[in-house]
Amino acid sequence: MESQIKKIHQQLMSKEITCTSLVQEKLDLLKQNTHNTVNSLLEETALALAKKVDAKIKNGEEIGLLEGVPFGIKDVYMLQGTYTTASSDLLKKYKAAYTATSIQKLLDAGAIPLVKENCDAFGHGSSSENTIFGAVKNAIDPTLVGGGSSGGSAVNVAKDFTVFSIGGDTGGSIRQPAGYNKVYGFKPTYGRISRYGLMAYASSTDCVGPIAKSIEDIRIVLNVMSGKDVRDQTSYASDVISEDLNSTIKTVGYYTNFIESDAISKEIKADFLSTLEKIKAKGIKVKALDFFNADVLVSTYYTLAMAETASNLSRLDGTNYGDRVEGANLKDTYAITRSEKFSEETKRRIVGGNQVLSQGFSDEIYLKAQNLRNQISARFSEDFETVDIVLSPVTPANPPKIGESLNDPLAMYLSDAYTVGFSLGELPTLTIPKGTNTGLQITADKKKDAEVLQFANFLNDIL
């Protein structure tokens, strides 16, 4: 698909459409939608910004490429003065006091925020059902889940309610819902985009990333949000990715552990192997690689993620943030507030994380997981000495029916089996909506985000 951002820019400059009419059209679609993608609309702000863009065009002024382009924001990002709920009961009345760096950069470029989008509360889930705003319904089949945790963001893009959306990816939270709803979703190299103003889930793997309908739109938004931020010491300065996306990839790797697993469906396996044959037919070498079993990746990821969750959410006790439920004393107030206001899934992760970090268990569990993470990262480095790109399915199976994940948390965790490893490795990974029913995942070595987009462009041409 062509770039929607460039198309809108041309339509605005040629006065084929007005920014106000465009924004109003998207707001109307968001209001009418029945997919549970909206936590709050930013109608007044969006229309005011749209009128300013129209005034500039009327006065003959040039506008930037993103100026006047409507977008959505997963409801875990701070946007000053707006409700920032994380789809949770605890923060349902919380208004942000400042704006996240990544969102501020988009505002500075003139993009217009329309909506805070539904998601799993605090990013805890793989289906966007763990939310007080109702389960997000899949864009293609509303009886299926939207995917998690950035489900509302992916569905809004798929249904053209927003031109692009900003999700958050910890263990696959952008890539999996992008695959379920057949759009593009990108998790950049860890640190390429500042995390300042993103509610922390697991700080060592949290990434800011775009969801869109074309690779070119992913590239444009990625370039705007990237860069060093003094308020996030893990961020780094990065090169601008060129519009020239010609691929020079010579060797593609794939993990046999993923493809020979009992968990993968016959349909996804057959489609993936067929894609490899098409790549070979273009003269690219395909190499099979051995890797850690998916259950090792999942257990390592959830051990570390739960530990970081318990630590990050310890500040949410009703004292400084969110709703407060009074008890007989301060200790009771903390306990009752957290017990009544956190979801079952969030409490499950906090309890698990506190167990991992508790005295007598931390050496046996937490440090062992850290050691495994180092081994996983080292194996990735070794593999990228022999291949340029790793290709994999996004998920081992099709999206579940709404309700199935809530009844089986373990199955929900295992649905992340093919995404969490790349998060632990801090690697750039893109979902493209082709190759299998839930898409393909393209991964490169750290800081080689451009190569991911280049190979995606190549795959678009042959699939």
Side-chain angles (χ1 to χ4, degrees):
M1 174 177 277
E2 64 177 326
S3 164
Q4 295 299 292
I5 293 173
K6 288 183 173 177
K7 180 181 178 183
I8 288 170
H9 178 73
Q10 187 275 326
Q11 289 175 321
L12 289 173
M13 288 301 294
S14 65
K15 300 181 180 176
E16 185 180 335
I17 61 171
T18 67
C19 190
T20 302
S21 65
L22 172 66
V23 167
Q24 189 62 61
E25 177 194 345
K26 299 294 185 188
L27 287 169
D28 290 343
L29 290 172
L30 285 163
K31 288 178 188 175
Q32 294 161 11
N33 102 82
T34 57
H35 289 262
N36 292 333
T37 61
V38 178
N39 286 3
S40 59
L41 283 178
L42 311 174
E43 185 169 12
E44 190 175 330
T45 302
L47 288 171
L49 290 171
K51 286 178 182 175
K52 290 182 180 178
V53 174
D54 285 335
K56 286 182 71 172
I57 295 170
K58 187 178 180 182
N59 292 333
E61 298 178 43
E62 283 288 326
I63 61 170
L65 189 56
L66 272 179
E67 208 158 351
V69 176
F71 74 104
I73 305 170
K74 183 180 181 179
D75 203 7
V76 291
Y77 288 93
M78 302 297 168
L79 178 59
Q80 190 175 31
T82 69
Y83 286 107
T84 303
T85 70
S87 295
S88 70
D89 195 21
L90 184 68
L91 298 178
K92 64 184 176 186
K93 297 174 185 173
Y94 176 73
K95 284 190 174 181
Y98 64 99
T99 299
T101 297
S102 55
I103 305 302
Q104 187 61 54
K105 286 186 173 186
L106 293 170
L107 298 178
D108 293 344
I112 296 179
L114 295 185
V115 55
K116 300 299 282 293
E117 297 167 320
N118 200 0
C119 57
D120 283 305
F122 299 107
H124 298 162
S126 305
S127 63
S128 286
E129 293 174 284
N130 297 301
T131 159
I132 62 168
F133 295 97
V136 176
K137 298 176 184 176
N138 190 283
I140 296 139
D141 180 349
T143 66
L144 307 179
V145 302
S149 61
S150 308
S153 306
V155 172
N156 279 342
V157 171
K159 300 293 288 184
D160 290 321
F161 301 156
T162 60
V163 176
F164 67 91
S165 287
I166 304 304
D169 193 307
T170 304
S173 313
I174 287 175
R175 291 162 283 156
Q176 186 244 49
Y180 280 180
N181 294 284
K182 301 191 184 305
V183 292
Y184 295 86
F186 188 54
K187 183 197 87 64
T189 301
Y190 180 77
R192 183 182 180 96
I193 301 175
S194 169
R195 290 179 292 111
Y196 178 75
L198 164 64
M199 283 191 198
Y201 161 19
S203 307
S204 69
T205 53
D206 286 342
C207 285
V208 179
I211 299 172
K213 275 195 162 178
S214 73
I215 297 168
E216 179 62 2
D217 287 350
I218 293 282
R219 185 191 71 84
I220 292 169
V221 177
L222 180 67
N223 279 339
V224 170
M225 292 196 296
S226 298
K228 175 72 177 174
D229 180 8
V230 294
R231 290 166 295 190
D232 177 2
Q233 294 305 307
T234 63
S235 65
Y236 65 90
S238 54
D239 294 333
V240 171
I241 297 177
S242 158
E243 190 173 354
D244 178 8
L245 291 179
N246 289 324
S247 176
T248 57
I249 300 301
K250 295 179 179 175
T251 308
V252 172
Y254 73 97
Y255 291 121
T256 54
N257 312 56
F258 287 3
I259 306 308
E260 301 305 325
S261 166
D262 293 336
I264 192 169
S265 76
K266 290 180 180 177
E267 176 194 8
I268 288 178
K269 179 177 179 178
D271 289 345
F272 181 76
L273 293 175
S274 172
T275 296
L276 292 182
E277 292 303 316
K278 291 174 184 173
I279 292 171
K280 286 179 188 174
K282 292 295 179 181
I284 294 175
K285 185 179 177 184
V286 173
K287 182 177 180 181
L289 301 168
D290 290 325
F291 201 59
F292 292 84
N293 290 329
D295 56 349
V296 173
L297 299 175
V298 171
S299 58
T300 303
Y301 167 76
Y302 275 102
T303 298
L304 297 174
M306 287 184 178
E308 293 186 35
T309 294
S311 176
N312 281 325
L313 293 191
S314 63
R315 75 194 77 173
L316 298 183
D317 54 20
T319 302
N320 294 314
Y321 306 103
D323 278 358
R324 177 188 180 100
V325 183
E326 296 290 347
N329 51 50
L330 188 59
K331 189 176 178 182
D332 276 355
T333 298
Y334 291 163
I336 296 170
T337 297
R338 289 167 67 82
S339 177
E340 292 189 7
K341 295 298 179 179
F342 279 138
S343 70
E344 292 304 309
E345 182 57 36
T346 293
K347 284 188 279 191
R348 190 178 294 123
R349 296 185 186 210
I350 290 174
V351 170
N354 283 330
Q355 175 74 6
V356 167
L357 295 172
S358 61
Q359 191 172 14
F361 289 93
S362 60
D363 286 357
E364 186 177 345
I365 303 175
Y366 182 72
L367 294 182
K368 185 176 180 181
Q370 285 284 27
N371 180 267
L372 269 169
R373 178 180 187 160
N374 292 336
Q375 291 181 46
I376 290 166
S377 183
R379 283 286 295 275
F380 277 130
S381 297
E382 290 173 14
D383 287 341
F384 282 115
E385 289 178 2
T386 62
V387 302
D388 303 309
I389 286 286
V390 166
L391 195 65
S392 56
V394 179
T395 63
N398 291 332
K401 294 277 187 184
I402 289 175
E404 287 180 357
S405 297
L406 295 177
N407 296 327
D408 191 350
L410 180 59
M412 180 183 71
Y413 298 158
L414 292 174
S415 71
D416 298 335
Y418 292 179
T419 54
V420 294
F422 303 125
S423 296
L424 293 171
E426 304 181 353
L427 304 172
T429 306
L430 172 75
T431 287
I432 70 167
K434 293 184 176 180
T436 81
N437 191 44
T438 59
L440 293 170
Q441 213 174 183
I442 303 167
T443 305
D445 204 356
K446 289 178 188 173
K447 300 187 177 181
K448 292 191 175 180
D449 304 57
E451 290 188 10
V452 171
L453 299 187
Q454 289 163 3
F455 191 67
N457 210 33
F458 164 79
L459 279 187
N460 254 352
D461 291 339
I462 68 166
L463 295 179

